Amino acid sequence: MSTETTPTSSPAPGAPAPAAPAPAAPAAVDRADGGGAARPRAGRRPAVLVYNTDGVNPYGAEIASLLSRRGLVTTLLDPGNSGNRPADGVRWRRALPENFGSGSGARQLASLARGLGETAWASLVRRRVVLVSFTRFPVEDLVLAGLGALGRPVALVVHNPVPRQAESTPARWARLALLRSASTVVVHAERLRAKVHPAVRGPVRVCPHPPYAQTVAAGEPQLSLDPQRRWVAFLGALRWDKGIDLVPEVLERVPEEQRRRLGLVVCGRGELPAATWEHLRELGVAVHDLTSPDPVPQEVLLDVLRNRPLLLAPYVAATQSGSVVLALSAGCRVLAFDEGGIPDVLTADGLVPNGDVEAMARALAEGRGGTAREPLERWTEQAARAWAGVVEDLG
């Protein structure tokens, strides 16, 4: 049975809009000014369904919240049962009462079927724009590709243009079908446009990765870290493209006196070999292992960030890095390679040349780290304008 959270307040309150030319086309209020005067827009605006099966990342909730605050009728369809609540005004459809990964195979299949069925209904019958924020199974890509092939507006977010080594052949072919049929493909940085698969036929739009203003809540950390050490953290999946193998190489190049005062938290899906942990301890670095074979809950990641560590992000392949955005949204400093979309969100004092572990070690020893390039309010406003523009153009 679906769990549905209906909006408790209007998505865009403000001054009354001027009279529309006809009753069938009421004016919509546009809150683009981040708290300034409401600007009326005449005519009916498109409704949008945000499809999201990532049960951990708050990305889908953030996108839905942005669109709702811009005055668009927005539904977040969440077959993966993310615990990340969108803003008031978003119609939140959750297909499972528990997290997707904890349900039985039959319940997972039923959840997925329900989510895809509701998406097809919303697209074909209710004429919604479908914005695909995340999929996890080939069948999702194939169904969504079918909607695009039927001429329905489908916008696909391409989070990582670099193919993943673990993808199966069916997964690659299903994703290729969706890339071919999508009305629009969205990336988060201009430099990533050229890395999108050449099979894409629709336009490629660049929209800022939104900050996690809706889902990053303040609070006291439950995780206790030694206050006598300077802590750095690696967050996210322990994959080659995220540079997990480079973390020991960076730390061993830090001068010994400073290195023995460092602590490292590794928090993400995957595992490091026992020899790697032992090597880090031999370097004098205190290590805190929060890795898991399953996706790490969002609250655990946030609890790490509430300790205000320096995020170490040695990503070596084109990425848009939700972990970096999450850290910046939580007020942490970040040290990263100047790769993918990261330079679009991180100030220059947190960037080092891609793949240069010597430069990253020097920056770490010097205490360098960057912050968000824009204040969160302005960053949110810029992202909202761009994303609403994509939906309105499709609608």
Side-chain angles (χ1 to χ4, degrees), residues 161-184:
V162 177
R164 297 179 182 174
Q165 292 175 328
E167 282 184 339
S168 66
T169 298
R172 286 196 296 271
W173 281 107
R175 174 54 53 141
L176 185 61
L178 180 53
L179 287 169
R180 286 180 182 275
S181 67
S183 312
T184 297

Side-chain angles (χ1 to χ4, degrees), residues 191 310-315 319 321 324 328 333-364 366-373:
R191 69 183 67 197
L310 173 72
L311 182 71
L312 201 61
Y315 296 174
T319 180
S321 185
V324 170
L328 295 175
R333 296 183 307 131
V334 176
L335 188 59
F337 290 143
D338 58 353
E339 173 62 14
I342 295 177
D344 284 36
V345 298
L346 181 63
T347 53
D349 48 341
L351 296 169
V352 297
N354 188 27
D356 192 337
V357 294
E358 295 279 359
M360 183 166 280
R362 287 196 300 271
L364 180 57
E366 294 166 4
R368 282 176 46 192
T371 55
R373 289 187 60 178

Side-chain angles (χ1 to χ4, degrees), residues 257-390:
E257 182 179 352
Q258 296 184 47
R259 191 174 64 225
R260 293 190 175 277
R261 296 199 299 268
L262 287 176
L264 170 68
V265 180
V266 181
C267 184
R269 185 176 188 174
E271 63 178 350
L272 287 176
T276 302
W277 290 118
E278 185 59 31
H279 176 54
L280 290 169
R281 293 186 179 94
E282 289 173 353
L283 294 173
V285 178
V287 293
H288 197 92
D289 181 5
L290 290 176
T291 59
S292 169
D294 300 314
V296 175
Q298 184 73 15
E299 185 57 32
V300 176
L301 299 175
L302 289 174
D303 199 41
V304 172
L305 295 176
R306 290 183 184 119
N307 282 276
R308 295 294 187 270
L310 173 72
L311 182 71
L312 201 61
Y315 296 174
V316 295
T319 180
Q320 319 217 356
S321 185
S323 298
V324 170
V325 173
L326 187 68
L328 295 175
S329 303
C332 295
R333 296 183 307 131
V334 176
L335 188 59
F337 290 143
D338 58 353
E339 173 62 14
I342 295 177
D344 284 36
V345 298
L346 181 63
T347 53
D349 48 341
L351 296 169
V352 297
N354 188 27
D356 192 337
V357 294
E358 295 279 359
M360 183 166 280
R362 287 196 300 271
L364 180 57
E366 294 166 4
R368 282 176 46 192
T371 55
R373 289 187 60 178
E374 298 283 353
L376 289 186
E377 183 178 349
R378 187 184 306 165
W379 183 2
T380 302
E381 177 188 333
Q382 292 170 349
R385 288 177 184 273
W387 285 96
V390 169

Side-chain angles (χ1 to χ4, degrees), residues 12-18 27-42 45 69-71 381 385 392:
V29 175
D30 183 356
R31 286 281 192 183
D33 310 82
R39 289 204 308 268
R41 255 189 204 177
R45 304 179 72 187
R69 293 191 184 107
R70 288 285 296 184
E381 177 188 333
R385 288 177 184 273
E392 290 171 338

Side-chain angles (χ1 to χ4, degrees), residues 7-386:
T8 57
S9 62
S10 172
V29 175
D30 183 356
R31 286 281 192 183
D33 310 82
R39 289 204 308 268
R41 255 189 204 177
R44 183 178 179 181
R45 304 179 72 187
V48 57
L49 181 143
V50 179
Y51 184 90
N52 173 57
T53 47
D54 190 331
V56 178
N57 196 303
Y59 184 90
E62 291 292 347
I63 293 294
S65 300
L66 287 181
L67 296 172
S68 178
R69 293 191 184 107
R70 288 285 296 184
L72 296 173
V73 176
T74 305
T75 300
L76 174 61
L77 182 60
D78 203 349
N81 192 43
S82 168
N84 300 295
R85 177 179 292 275
D88 289 344
V90 176
R91 184 178 182 230
W92 191 19
R93 297 283 293 168
R94 304 168 74 194
L96 275 176
E98 74 264 62
N99 184 273
F100 190 88
S102 64
S104 66
R107 291 179 67 82
Q108 291 180 4
L109 183 61
S111 168
L112 199 61
R114 182 184 293 275
L116 290 172
E118 290 192 22
T119 302
W121 177 266
S123 174
L124 296 171
V125 179
R126 306 201 69 188
R127 318 303 285 178
R128 301 289 196 251
V129 173
V130 176
L131 195 159
V132 184
S133 73
F134 190 87
T135 62
R136 65 169 80 191
F137 299 112
V139 66
E140 297 174 283
D141 289 352
L142 291 175
V143 171
L144 294 164
L147 294 177
L150 291 172
R152 298 303 306 142
V154 176
L156 171 65
V157 181
V158 176
H159 294 276
N160 197 334
V162 177
R164 297 179 182 174
Q165 292 175 328
E167 282 184 339
S168 66
T169 298
R172 286 196 296 271
W173 281 107
R175 174 54 53 141
L176 185 61
L178 180 53
L179 287 169
R180 286 180 182 275
S181 67
S183 312
T184 297
V185 166
V186 180
V187 294
H188 292 145
E190 185 63 41
R191 69 183 67 197
L192 296 176
R193 185 192 294 271
K195 296 181 182 292
V196 173
H197 198 288
V200 169
R201 295 173 179 172
V204 178
R205 300 280 291 267
V206 177
C207 295
H209 192 306
Y212 290 138
Q214 171 67 27
T215 52
V216 173
E220 291 298 319
Q222 301 301 307
L223 175 66
S224 178
L225 298 176
D226 183 356
Q228 302 303 314
R229 289 186 177 268
R230 184 158 67 99
W231 288 89
V232 298
F234 178 94
L235 301 186
L238 278 62
R239 295 201 313 257
W240 69 273
D241 55 315
K242 293 183 179 293
I244 182 59
D245 296 335
L246 298 181
V247 172
E249 295 186 32
V250 170
L251 294 177
E252 67 186 6
R253 287 167 170 78
V254 174
E256 182 178 3
E257 182 179 352
Q258 296 184 47
R259 191 174 64 225
R260 293 190 175 277
R261 296 199 299 268
L262 287 176
L264 170 68
V265 180
V266 181
C267 184
R269 185 176 188 174
E271 63 178 350
L272 287 176
T276 302
W277 290 118
E278 185 59 31
H279 176 54
L280 290 169
R281 293 186 179 94
E282 289 173 353
L283 294 173
V285 178
V287 293
H288 197 92
D289 181 5
L290 290 176
T291 59
S292 169
D294 300 314
V296 175
Q298 184 73 15
E299 185 57 32
V300 176
L301 299 175
L302 289 174
D303 199 41
V304 172
L305 295 176
R306 290 183 184 119
N307 282 276
R308 295 294 187 270
L310 173 72
L311 182 71
L312 201 61
Y315 296 174
V316 295
T319 180
Q320 319 217 356
S321 185
S323 298
V324 170
V325 173
L326 187 68
L328 295 175
S329 303
C332 295
R333 296 183 307 131
V334 176
L335 188 59
F337 290 143
D338 58 353
E339 173 62 14
I342 295 177
D344 284 36
V345 298
L346 181 63
T347 53
D349 48 341
L351 296 169
V352 297
N354 188 27
D356 192 337
V357 294
E358 295 279 359
M360 183 166 280
R362 287 196 300 271
L364 180 57
E366 294 166 4
R368 282 176 46 192
T371 55
R373 289 187 60 178
E374 298 283 353
L376 289 186
E377 183 178 349
R378 187 184 306 165
W379 183 2
T380 302
E381 177 188 333
Q382 292 170 349
R385 288 177 184 273

